[in-house]
Amino acid sequence: MLYALVLLLAYLIGSIPSGLIVGKAFYGIDIRQHGSGNLGGTNTFRTLGKKAGITVTLADILKGTLVIFLPMIFGIDLHPLIAGVFAVLGHMFPIFAGFRGGKAVATSGGVLLGYEPLLFVLLVIVFLISLKFSKYVSLSSILAGLFAVIYSLFTGDLPLILVAAALAFFVIIRHRTNIKRIINKTEPKVKWI
């Protein structure tokens, strides 16, 4: 019963729609009605600006990091990455926002930050290098996800390998339309880096 409670709590924490909360509370805007219609950090940056984008991205990362510690807090023998996957599912399909959520990038990063901090730092570096050269947030997110899988293979940590693969899969699937726009050369590029 406690296992189910922890997984439910992880899902509910992941379901907190940071972009929706920041948009409505501080700007009077439902970001799902602007830009890409997505609740994540990228659409928040584009719709509400740098301050809101940073706030939402950090909140989404922290959701993933927080849930890693739930099994320890509740004193149960549950691998923390399982709780992390439930948080990412909550972020993608939030009960508090009609099951229309983000693309799993920041919350996945937060899960990896809580479990393997060095991997998180390397992911940020890969993301920023890719962003510098490609100017595509979506492509940079996908490449960071793939890097997580490659890194995890060298750790020999089977749960990390499986979860990194699942998270990368989520990120790629959630960016299907972005991939099509990159191919068609219609994907928006960032201008600030």
Side-chain angles (χ1 to χ4, degrees):
M1 182 67 174
L2 202 49
Y3 290 91
L5 177 66
V6 167
L7 295 178
L8 176 62
L9 187 57
Y11 169 80
L12 292 174
I13 290 169
S15 286
I16 297 169
S18 310
L20 186 61
I21 293 168
V22 169
K24 283 192 169 189
F26 299 103
Y27 298 85
I29 293 174
D30 182 342
I31 67 165
R32 295 174 298 180
Q33 317 224 333
H34 298 275
S36 67
N38 188 272
L39 279 178
T42 301
N43 195 39
T44 305
F45 269 103
R46 288 184 180 141
T47 304
L48 304 176
K50 192 182 294 185
K51 190 174 175 182
I54 290 170
T55 301
V56 168
T57 300
L58 290 176
D60 288 347
I61 289 169
L62 289 175
K63 291 188 307 190
T65 304
L66 173 64
V67 301
I68 286 296
F69 299 103
L70 289 178
M72 183 179 66
I73 291 167
F74 282 87
I76 61 172
D77 185 29
L78 175 71
H79 199 288
L81 288 174
I82 296 172
V85 169
F86 274 77
V88 173
L89 290 171
H91 178 74
M92 292 188 304
F93 307 105
I95 193 168
F96 305 125
F99 301 99
R100 288 179 47 221
K103 294 192 176 182
V105 178
T107 305
S108 294
V111 168
L112 297 173
L113 171 61
Y115 186 74
E116 182 82 18
L118 175 61
L119 173 55
F120 176 80
V121 171
L122 294 173
L123 290 175
V124 171
I125 292 168
V126 167
F127 177 87
L128 290 173
I129 290 172
S130 173
L131 190 61
K132 172 74 175 160
F133 290 103
S134 74
K135 307 293 189 224
Y136 291 124
V137 173
S138 54
L139 178 62
S140 301
S141 299
I142 291 166
L143 291 176
L146 294 173
F147 178 83
V149 175
I150 294 166
Y151 174 97
S152 69
L153 291 171
F154 287 99
T155 66
D157 182 340
L158 185 59
L160 179 59
I161 293 167
L162 296 173
V163 169
L167 297 178
F169 175 76
F170 294 158
V171 168
I172 292 167
I173 291 299
R174 299 293 284 184
H175 284 91
R176 292 183 315 272
T177 57
N178 302 84
I179 294 167
K180 289 177 187 170
R181 286 195 301 265
I182 289 170
I183 292 168
N184 295 331
K185 300 188 184 337
T186 57
E187 175 77 350
K189 291 185 175 185
V190 297
K191 297 174 176 61
W192 55 267
I193 191 168

